[in-house]
Structure formats: C-alpha cells, structure tokens
Amino acid sequence: MRRVNLWHVAILCGFLITHFVFWTYFYVSYSIEQEQARSLEYDTVWSSTNGRNEFYRLSASLNQYLATRTPEDLDALSVKYEILLARLETWNSGNFRRFLNSNREMSNVFSQLKTEVTDLGFALENISESTVTDIHARMEKIASKIEVIAGKSYQTSIERFADERADFQDRLMTEKRIVMGLLVLATCLLAVVMRQNWILKQANAQIAGDADQLSYMAKHDALTGLANRTLVDEHLRQAKANLSDDEVVLAVALDLDGFKAINDTLGHAGGDALLIALAKRLNLFVDGISGQNLAARVGGDEFMLLFWCRKKDLDCDSTIRFLSGQFNAPLETTIGSLLVGTSIGYAIAIERDDLDTVVLNADLALTEAKLVGPGTDLRFSTPMRTRMERRLRIERELPDALANSLIKPHYQLQYNIVTGEPIGLEALARWNHCDIGPVSPSEFIPIAEASGDVVELGRLMLRSACRDVQFLPDHMRVSVNLSMIQLLNDDVVALVRDTLEQTGLDPRRLKLEVTESVIMHNVELVAGVLSKLQAMGVSISLDDFGTGYSALSYLSNFKWDELKIDRSFVLACESSPKALNIINVIMSLAYKMNADLLVEGLETREQAKTFQRLGCRFGQGYYFSKPIPVEQLREIPFNEVEEIAASNLSVAAHI
C-alpha cells in the first residue's frame, strides 16, 4: 500500500512540475512573441521612415541634376529612383503589406503611390526643360502620399502599444485565476489517479483472463471457428516432430463448386451461412475418425482437413468416398437448405519428410480435380507436380518467347472440297520450346489469356499472317483468330488498320475469326467492333459454330461473312443421322444469311465426301493439309495445283 501511495505522490509531483515548466515556457514564449510583435511594429515604422527619407534623397538628387545637368548626377538620380522602387516593393510584402491591408484607405493610397512612382520613372527618363514643372508636380503628389502612409504607421504603432498595456493588465488577472485552477486540478488529478489505478488492476486481470481467447482467435477462422492456416502449420510441425512409424497423415483439400454463383444469388450473407453450416459438418466428420485430426478454412471457399491417425485405423480411399458423400445431402443453414458440390484433392504423408509437402501436394491434386470437372476427387501423383512445374515454366517463359518471336504461325490450308482448289489458309500459333519441345496451343494459349499476354500473341499472329499471305495467289485469304481480350480492347480496330497499312495487304484477303463464347461476354460491344472491322473490308468468321450458345439473338445482331462448323459435328455425322439434319439446318441458315460455310476437322476421305454430298463447298483438316510453317508453305506449287485440281480430292490429299 505504501508503494501505491508513493506512486501517486510521484505522479502528482510530476504533474505539478510539468505544469510549472509549461507555464514558465508560456510566459517566456509569450514575452518572446510580444517582443517579436514589437519588433515587427518597429520594422514597419522603420521601413516607412526609410521610405520617406529615400524619397527626399531622390528629390535632392533631382534638384542637383537640374542644377548641373551632368551625366554623373543623372546616374545618381537613376540610382535614387531604383532605391525608391525597391522600397516600395518592400512595403508590398511582409508585415508592411499586412499593415496596408488592415486599412482600405492606406491600401488605396499605396496603389496610387506605386502608379505615380512608376509614371515618375517614365518622366525622369525623358527629362527636359519643358517637363521640369510636371516632374515637380508629380513629386509633390508622391510626397503627400508617402507622408500619409508614414504618419498612419506611426499612429498605428502608438495605438498598438496602448492595446498591449491594457492586455498586460488582463493577463495578470488571468494568471492568478490559472494558479488557483491548477491547485484545484491537482486535487482532482490525485483522485483520478487513484481511480485509474483501480481500473488498471481490473484491466490487467481481464487481459490475463483473455490470453487463451486471444491465442484461439489468432489460430482460428473468425467466421466458421475452424482452424486457420497458422494452426495447420503448427499441427504439421507437431506431426513432424512426433510422427511414429505406425502413423500416417492424410491431407485433404476441398473447394466448393459454384460458390461464386451462390454468393451472386444469395449475397455474401447467404455465402457466409453456407460456410458456417459446412464447417459444422466437416468438424463432425473429422471428429468421427480416431486420431489427432483437424478441420481448417484456408481460403474463401477452400478447406483443409488433416487426419493424423494410426495406419490400421485409416483407409484413405474409404475416407475420401465417405467425405464426398457428405455433400450429397443438403446443408441446413440459417437461410434454408442448400445443396453444394465440392472438388477434392488429397495426399498422404507416410514419413516425416513427406509432411513438408503434403499440404502442397493436396492443393496440386485439388487444382487437377477442378480442371477435370465439378465433383471430382483426385489423389496426388508425381506427374501432377511435373505438370504444374511445366505450367509454371511456360507461364514464366511465355513473355520472352513472344518478345523473341519464338512463337510462330503455322498455316493450315483451306480447300474447295468440290474442286480440290486451295482457297485460303488459317494461321495457328505454334511454339517449339528449345528444352521441352513442342508446346500445344491448348497449353500456352489459356496461360496467355490469364496473364494478358494473349494481346501480344494476337498482334504477332496478325502481323505475320498479313505478311506471309502476300506471296500466295491473290484469291487466297488468311484467317486469324481474335481472342476475347483483344475484342474488348479498344485499339483492336486501329491495330488491324495499322497492320494492313504496314504490310500493304488488301483488306479483302484478311479474315478474322471469333468464337461464340467471346460474343456472349458483351454482344453489343463485340458487334460494334466487328462492324468497324468489316467496314474496312475485312471478313468476319464465326468459329466453332454450334458448340456454344448458337443463339439467334446474337446471330441476328451481326452480318457474318462465314460460319465454321466445329469438328465435333464431323465426328458426330459418322454415327448420327440427327447430326446430318443439323448440318442441313446450318447450311440453310448460312445460305439465308448470305454467309459462306466452312467445315473444320476433315481428317478422312469419307468425311470429305460426306460433306461434299451435303452440299458444303469449303473445308479444312488433316486430310488436306497439316499446319505447316511458312517455309514449307512457300514450296507448294499453287499454280500447278489450280491447274490439275479437276474434280477429285486426291491432289489435295497429296499436298
């Protein structure tokens, strides 16, 4: 108790000393401020006095010059005039300017004074016998205004000192009141300090009691109450330190299918309700399996389950099947019953060293499972890591490949399947990596779209195609694919126009292809961009027709130059009469739209003849030509092909 009292006394003394120092500083600083104010007032008076003296020196110099008319006196007169101008500039700044602004009359007088002094300068430059009288008159006017300003500054200074004396008397009384107030405040402070000491004791007790709760919050998800990634890492460290030979750790990564759609439909409150209900079910699931198990939420809709069990107590395949079955029943949430699917990836750590990568391996397996489709569960295997490393390498080296033109166009010829005559070609991106060999477009193009590099890839393909097609016969056109990102980019029209101008290619020989899925992102915007391209003379082709939405609503919004039937219809026509009927409908639609129809993916003679009998005129595929580099394309004797094309397809097959 004595220590507490001494502590209170120390605080009180410190408070009084602080206030003593504060008020001492206040008095000193106030005195300094007062002295500064007086100094500024003196500066104003001093400046006004000097200004008046400099004017009279100018007046004396003027009289001297008028008496002698010597160049030396004229120079002295000019110097005195410049000094007066400088003095006026001094008056127009700092404290003197504030003095002038405080009185509208003085401000007006000063403005007139500046004007008259400026005019006097012009008069002094052209001084002569005829202007002496005018100059004296000007000097008298200037003298009167300077006297007014100087007199006013003296008067203001005197009034200021009188006000300060009155203020000083008021301050003496105020200081007495402050001293009394400090004594009262010191008494109140002592009471407050004692009260605060009691509150601090209570707070310390509360903090000590909440230590476990704070630790819990640091290692658990605030929404669901599940463990977070921090606790997952801690759990793995414990497992690595204590895993025995007859134990195993199973890591399971889960990701909800369609969770974004639930958030968009029900809002974030609905999504949170779903996550809370799912967390309860996952907790029940892990608690139902013997071992040191853990359920964690490690992302928005991503969960991680860790099972640290004896090998004989854990059947991994059965556990995963049972876990998948948990999502067959709806989840009861605060907003009703919700049914949600999940993708699952899992990995097993048998030895301690495996624990370093078991979670990462489960995540890799989950990534592969989501690529397969909703509701998939996959176990980690080494090729998954190889594929991921390959993808990361492709993603890392793609910009350099584009910058160094390592990705090049290969061209697949398009034919009139009735005559066998080549009518055009399609530019397809190909990448032959120096270390890993050929990289499929299906592999690097999605990466380019995700990273935004597809814009540069599109520019590269467009420039190369417009350049390479020019050595072919004039009736042959080149097709280039446009991605969604390119179409939504405002400069795609300018890009095509500039490329055509730079390469000198006739716009009628260029055909740009877009897919149905691209159009559906923004029908009006895409249709507007395509219309501008078509107005330049470029043909527009709808690629992979029939595989996506194929809605008449967007087909009618744009005049297509060509429809391309996807190769999936080519395969379907071999076994399905319905597919043949669909082809007839598409042909009729293309005819009514005044659009050409081209079939992709013709790989056999029978397929080519089938579509020839259906009335299709144009096609492309491996039966006619594989995609080839421009060097091989240059070696094809197109003139000879056109002469012997005749009516069979063997010539095209030979090429």
Side-chain angles (χ1 to χ4, degrees):
M1 186 66 182
R2 183 178 180 183
R3 290 182 179 178
V4 174
N5 291 335
L6 291 175
W7 181 63
H8 289 165
V9 172
I11 291 179
L12 180 60
C13 292
F15 172 78
L16 295 175
I17 292 172
T18 301
H19 277 73
F20 174 77
V21 172
F22 169 76
W23 284 108
T24 302
Y25 171 78
F26 175 77
Y27 290 137
V28 172
S29 62
Y30 180 79
S31 299
I32 294 174
E33 290 175 1
Q34 290 294 95
E35 291 300 325
Q36 289 175 344
R38 294 189 186 97
S39 175
L40 291 175
E41 291 296 332
Y42 174 76
D43 181 65
T44 302
V45 175
W46 179 83
S47 184
S48 64
T49 302
N50 282 348
R52 182 172 58 181
N53 293 339
E54 285 154 3
F55 170 75
Y56 286 120
R57 292 190 187 98
L58 172 65
S59 179
S61 182
L62 174 63
N63 293 332
Q64 178 70 21
Y65 172 70
L66 292 176
T68 63
R69 299 286 183 167
T70 64
E72 292 78 5
D73 290 336
L74 180 60
D75 291 341
L77 176 62
S78 297
V79 170
K80 297 296 189 300
Y81 176 74
E82 293 298 331
I83 292 173
L84 180 60
L85 281 179
R87 177 57 59 185
L88 291 184
E89 290 300 322
T90 303
W91 285 8
N92 199 30
S93 61
N95 196 59
F96 206 98
R97 178 72 260 180
R98 287 190 290 274
F99 157 70
L100 293 173
N101 290 339
S102 65
N103 188 301
R104 181 182 296 274
E105 181 182 356
M106 287 299 99
S107 183
N108 292 335
V109 170
F110 179 72
S111 298
Q112 295 172 9
L113 175 63
K114 285 188 65 177
T115 302
E116 291 176 0
V117 171
T118 302
D119 293 341
L120 176 63
F122 294 128
L124 292 177
E125 289 178 359
N126 302 295
I127 190 170
S128 64
E129 292 294 338
S130 60
T131 61
V132 170
T133 302
D134 177 63
I135 289 174
H136 281 299
R138 291 176 185 272
M139 294 289 287
E140 290 177 0
K141 291 181 179 180
I142 292 172
S144 63
K145 290 179 174 58
I146 287 178
E147 290 294 341
V148 169
I149 292 174
K152 185 64 177 178
S153 95
Y154 280 118
Q155 181 182 354
T156 301
S157 178
I158 292 171
E159 293 173 353
R160 168 85 177 183
F161 292 146
D163 292 340
E164 287 181 359
R165 283 194 297 272
D167 182 63
F168 180 74
Q169 295 296 329
D170 293 339
R171 285 188 70 256
L172 287 176
M173 184 58 67
T174 300
E175 289 168 4
K176 293 179 181 179
R177 296 191 184 100
I178 290 174
V179 171
M180 294 300 298
L182 286 174
L183 293 175
V184 174
L185 183 61
T187 303
C188 295
L189 180 63
L190 179 60
V192 169
V193 169
M194 296 179 67
R195 172 67 176 172
Q196 188 66 22
N197 182 62
W198 179 82
I199 293 174
L200 287 175
K201 286 183 178 180
Q202 297 297 319
N204 288 333
Q206 182 69 28
I207 291 174
D210 290 345
D212 292 339
Q213 180 65 22
L214 292 173
S215 177
Y216 177 87
M217 293 174 62
K219 298 178 182 179
H220 291 78
D221 177 56
L223 176 65
T224 63
L226 295 181
N228 59 19
R229 191 172 291 276
T230 300
L231 190 53
V232 169
D233 294 339
E234 182 178 308
H235 196 71
L236 288 173
R237 286 194 297 270
Q238 292 177 357
K240 188 170 183 179
N242 302 293
L243 188 70
S244 62
D245 293 339
D246 64 339
E247 290 180 326
V248 66
V249 173
L250 170 64
V252 183
L254 300 91
D255 189 86
L256 297 183
D257 298 328
F259 182 70
K260 182 179 184 301
I262 294 176
N263 263 339
D264 294 341
T265 304
L266 303 178
H268 290 290
D272 290 347
L274 172 63
L275 294 174
I276 292 171
L278 177 60
K280 293 179 180 178
R281 182 171 294 184
L282 292 177
N283 254 335
L284 290 175
F285 179 79
V286 298
D287 289 344
I289 298 177
S290 61
Q292 303 179 54
N293 306 325
L294 186 70
R297 182 189 179 205
V298 294
D301 62 333
E302 186 175 346
F303 295 82
M304 179 67 64
L305 306 182
L306 293 178
F307 301 92
W308 179 3
C309 310
R310 296 172 65 87
K311 293 179 181 179
K312 65 179 183 179
D313 295 335
L314 182 67
D315 184 340
C316 293
D317 294 335
S318 298
T319 301
I320 296 302
R321 284 196 301 271
F322 187 42
L323 176 61
S324 298
Q326 297 295 307
F327 297 90
N328 295 331
L331 291 165
E332 298 300 326
T333 72
T334 55
I335 61 172
S337 298
L338 294 175
L339 184 62
V340 63
T342 184
S343 299
I344 298 175
Y346 62 100
I348 303 171
I350 300 176
E351 299 178 357
R352 293 186 181 184
D353 291 341
D354 298 335
L355 291 170
D356 293 331
T357 57
V358 66
V359 169
L360 176 60
N361 292 342
D363 283 332
L364 290 176
L366 174 61
T367 300
E368 295 265 347
K370 289 193 290 186
L371 293 176
V372 173
T376 303
D377 56 83
L378 290 178
R379 180 173 177 171
F380 171 78
S381 60
T382 303
M384 291 182 181
R385 182 175 298 281
T386 302
R387 286 191 292 269
M388 178 58 67
E389 291 173 350
R390 177 184 173 92
R391 175 183 173 86
L392 292 175
R393 182 172 183 180
I394 291 173
E395 184 176 346
R396 183 174 63 252
E397 297 182 9
L398 180 60
D400 288 337
L402 291 172
N404 297 313
S405 299
L406 299 180
I407 299 179
K408 300 179 180 180
H410 282 209
Y411 298 98
Q412 186 173 46
L413 291 169
Q414 300 170 337
Y415 284 85
N416 184 322
I417 62 176
V418 178
T419 66
E421 178 186 1
I423 52 107
L425 62 162
E426 181 179 2
L428 303 170
R430 294 294 184 266
W431 182 9
N432 190 12
H433 195 282
C434 59
D435 292 331
I436 61 179
V439 182
S440 170
S442 62
E443 195 172 4
F444 70 79
I445 288 181
I447 295 176
E449 289 177 340
S451 64
D453 290 326
V454 71
V455 175
E456 183 59 32
L457 175 61
R459 292 173 181 168
L460 173 66
M461 294 297 295
L462 180 64
R463 287 194 297 266
S464 300
C466 291
R467 181 185 64 247
D468 295 341
V469 75
Q470 296 193 66
F471 70 86
L472 300 180
D474 292 341
H475 72 277
M476 295 187 67
R477 297 186 298 177
V478 64
S479 298
V480 181
N481 290 281
L482 287 181
S483 69
M484 177 186 65
I485 298 177
Q486 285 179 283
L487 274 174
L488 298 181
N489 194 329
D490 292 337
D491 67 352
V492 66
V493 176
L495 171 65
V496 173
R497 182 187 299 111
D498 294 343
T499 302
L500 291 173
E501 290 177 356
Q502 292 168 7
T503 59
L505 181 67
D506 186 343
R508 292 172 296 181
R509 298 188 64 188
L510 176 61
K511 183 166 54 179
L512 298 175
E513 299 184 8
V514 297
T515 61
E516 299 178 60
S517 58
V518 169
I519 302 168
M520 292 302 295
H521 278 85
N522 192 326
V523 177
E524 293 183 2
L525 175 61
V526 172
V529 174
L530 296 181
S531 296
K532 293 178 182 179
L533 294 170
Q534 206 171 44
M536 296 164 51
V538 176
S539 299
I540 304 298
S541 173
L542 181 58
D543 195 11
D544 298 338
F545 181 71
T547 61
Y549 305 90
S550 300
L552 293 177
S553 59
Y554 75 76
L555 285 176
S556 61
N557 284 342
F558 187 75
K559 181 183 179 301
W560 302 96
D561 297 300
E562 180 184 79
L563 302 181
K564 294 187 72 174
I565 299 178
D566 186 69
R567 66 184 303 271
S568 60
F569 281 100
V570 176
L571 299 175
C573 285
E574 295 179 345
S575 58
S576 174
K578 292 183 179 180
L580 295 175
N581 293 332
I582 294 175
I583 296 298
N584 285 323
V585 172
I586 294 176
M587 288 180 58
S588 176
L589 178 63
Y591 175 77
K592 292 180 180 180
M593 294 175 61
N594 195 26
D596 293 332
L597 190 67
L598 187 144
V599 185
E600 293 184 290
L602 297 176
E603 298 183 356
T604 66
R605 183 180 183 84
E606 289 71 22
Q607 291 173 348
K609 285 187 174 182
T610 297
F611 281 90
Q612 183 181 353
R613 286 194 299 269
L614 289 172
C616 295
R617 295 176 55 200
F618 307 115
Q620 71 181 83
Y622 275 37
Y623 173 63
F624 300 106
S625 170
K626 295 181 179 180
I628 56 176
V630 66
E631 294 79 12
Q632 295 182 30
L633 188 66
R634 294 177 184 272
E635 298 175 359
I636 298 177
F638 286 100
N639 293 332
E640 297 179 14
V641 171
E642 293 173 9
E643 293 175 1
I644 65 174
S647 61
N648 62 61
L649 302 178
S650 60
V651 175
H654 174 70
I655 294 175

